[in-house]
């Protein structure tokens, strides 16, 4: 088992001397599944942003896939991000691309052949219940449907690490459970997963370790 993420005494401060996160020590290995919980504003999104290199710590050190991230060049950051799938709370779908084209993007970035894209994209969209929306555009979909498209896009290329920020927040309980089963399939196939969520029912049903943020501190439950 290899180390994928390591935080050492990491602080995040948006205003001087008022850390949102304080002295965070965190290790995430390959083939692992964790939930991330905490009240709104506790720092869950900030923690995830540091994991995909969109936010630098105010103090401390972060290693990703064995690399110290302090002085990475842009192409090195890009190479690391290619190994990470991200589900954002606000979806971040590309509005002028169809659902099919949005989900295909990671495969295109990885240089997948056209026949692979043509086969896997419809299969995955069908699995998340959107097989009849291949040529629709994001604006025509509900929030829950856009969330499922964002999840399909994040997992289509089988990333080494999947980071999901409230991935079930806009879907009903039945779809939420189905999406969790999809995450479990990825986990069993070798993807490490971190799911930030307020959904205690999911946490109780799917018995994985929980990182909990409280008063700026990270606790493994």
């Amino acid at each position: 088992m290899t180390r994928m993420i390591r935080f050492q005494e990491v602080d995040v401060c948006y205003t001087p001397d008022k850390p949102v996160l304080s002295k965070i020590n965190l290790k995430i290995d390959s083939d692992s599944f964790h939930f991330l919980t905490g009240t709104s504003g506790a720092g869950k999104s900030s923690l995830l942003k540091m994991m995909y290199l969109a936010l630098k710590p105010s103090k401390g050190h972060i290693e990703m896939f064995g690399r110290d991230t302090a002085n990475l060049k842009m192409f090195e950051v890009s190479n690391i991000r290619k190994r990470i799938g991200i589900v954002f709370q606000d979806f971040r779908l590309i509005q002028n691309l169809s659902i099919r084209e949005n989900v295909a993007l990671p495969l295109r970035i990885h240089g997948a052949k056209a026949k692979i894209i043509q086969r896997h994209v419809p299969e995955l969209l069908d699995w998340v219940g959107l097989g009849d929306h291949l040529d629709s555009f994001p604006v025509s979909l509900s929030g829950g449907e856009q969330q499922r498209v964002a999840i399909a896009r994040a997992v289509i290329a089988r990333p080494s690490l999947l980071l999901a920020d409230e991935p079930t927040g806009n879907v009903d309980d039945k779809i939420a459970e189905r999406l969790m089963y999809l995450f479990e399939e990825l986990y069993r196939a070798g993807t490490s997963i971190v799911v930030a969520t307020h959904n205690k029912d999911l946490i109780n049903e799917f018995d994985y370790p929980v990182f909990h943020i409280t008063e700026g501190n990270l606790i493994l439950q």
Side-chain angles (χ1 to χ4, degrees), residues 69-87:
T69 64
N71 296 301
L72 292 177
K73 296 180 173 62
M74 286 304 299
F75 79 90
E76 293 173 313
V77 171
S78 179
N79 287 338
I80 288 175
R81 285 179 175 162
K82 287 180 182 178
R83 302 178 65 180
I84 304 172
I86 309 167
V87 181

Side-chain angles (χ1 to χ4, degrees), residues 5-83:
I5 301 175
R6 185 182 184 189
F7 283 39
Q8 294 178 282
E9 299 289 304
V10 167
D11 288 4
V12 173
C13 301
Y14 293 115
T15 57
D17 302 321
K18 290 185 179 180
V20 175
L21 298 172
S22 179
K23 295 184 178 180
I24 300 297
N25 290 295
L26 168 70
K27 296 177 182 178
I28 294 178
D29 292 323
S30 60
D31 302 320
S32 64
F33 194 126
H34 290 85
F35 287 112
L36 175 63
T37 67
T39 59
S40 295
K44 299 188 299 298
S45 293
S46 294
L47 191 64
L48 292 179
K49 285 178 181 178
M50 287 190 289
M51 290 182 186
Y52 62 83
L53 305 182
L55 176 67
K56 290 186 177 182
S58 304
K59 293 181 181 178
H61 300 279
I62 297 175
E63 293 179 8
M64 296 287 298
F65 302 104
R67 295 291 308 276
D68 188 327
T69 64
N71 296 301
L72 292 177
K73 296 180 173 62
M74 286 304 299
F75 79 90
E76 293 173 313
V77 171
S78 179
N79 287 338
I80 288 175
R81 285 179 175 162
K82 287 180 182 178
R83 302 178 65 180

Side-chain angles (χ1 to χ4, degrees), residues 54-123:
L55 176 67
K56 290 186 177 182
S58 304
K59 293 181 181 178
H61 300 279
I62 297 175
E63 293 179 8
M64 296 287 298
F65 302 104
R67 295 291 308 276
D68 188 327
T69 64
N71 296 301
L72 292 177
K73 296 180 173 62
M74 286 304 299
F75 79 90
E76 293 173 313
V77 171
S78 179
N79 287 338
I80 288 175
R81 285 179 175 162
K82 287 180 182 178
R83 302 178 65 180
I84 304 172
I86 309 167
V87 181
F88 299 99
Q89 274 187 289
D90 56 357
F91 319 137
R92 301 196 189 180
L93 302 177
I94 299 175
Q95 297 300 310
N96 64 339
L97 295 184
S98 69
I99 301 312
R100 184 201 307 265
E101 291 166 333
N102 265 280
V103 175
L105 273 176
L107 292 178
R108 295 189 188 283
I109 290 170
H110 282 79
K113 294 181 179 179
K115 63 181 181 180
I116 298 295
I117 295 172
Q118 291 166 5
R119 181 169 77 248
H120 287 302
V121 170
E123 284 178 353

Side-chain angles (χ1 to χ4, degrees), residues 95-194:
Q95 297 300 310
N96 64 339
L97 295 184
S98 69
I99 301 312
R100 184 201 307 265
E101 291 166 333
N102 265 280
V103 175
L105 273 176
L107 292 178
R108 295 189 188 283
I109 290 170
H110 282 79
K113 294 181 179 179
K115 63 181 181 180
I116 298 295
I117 295 172
Q118 291 166 5
R119 181 169 77 248
H120 287 302
V121 170
E123 284 178 353
L124 185 53
L125 281 169
D126 189 56
W127 203 94
V128 298
L130 292 171
D132 56 347
H133 290 280
L134 287 171
D135 297 313
S136 300
F137 287 84
V139 69
S140 69
L141 303 184
S142 69
E145 288 169 336
Q146 290 188 56
Q147 183 72 298
R148 282 182 273 162
V149 175
I151 290 169
R153 182 182 61 185
V155 305
I156 187 84
R158 298 279 180 172
S160 300
L161 173 66
L162 176 68
L163 306 174
D165 196 356
E166 298 289 349
T168 62
N170 292 286
V171 299
D172 61 33
D173 290 343
K174 183 177 180 179
I175 294 295
E177 187 172 350
R178 189 169 186 176
L179 293 174
M180 283 299 300
Y181 286 132
L182 174 60
F183 292 162
E184 282 199 313
E185 287 185 20
L186 283 169
Y187 167 54
R188 286 192 289 268
T191 296
S192 293
I193 296 176
V194 180

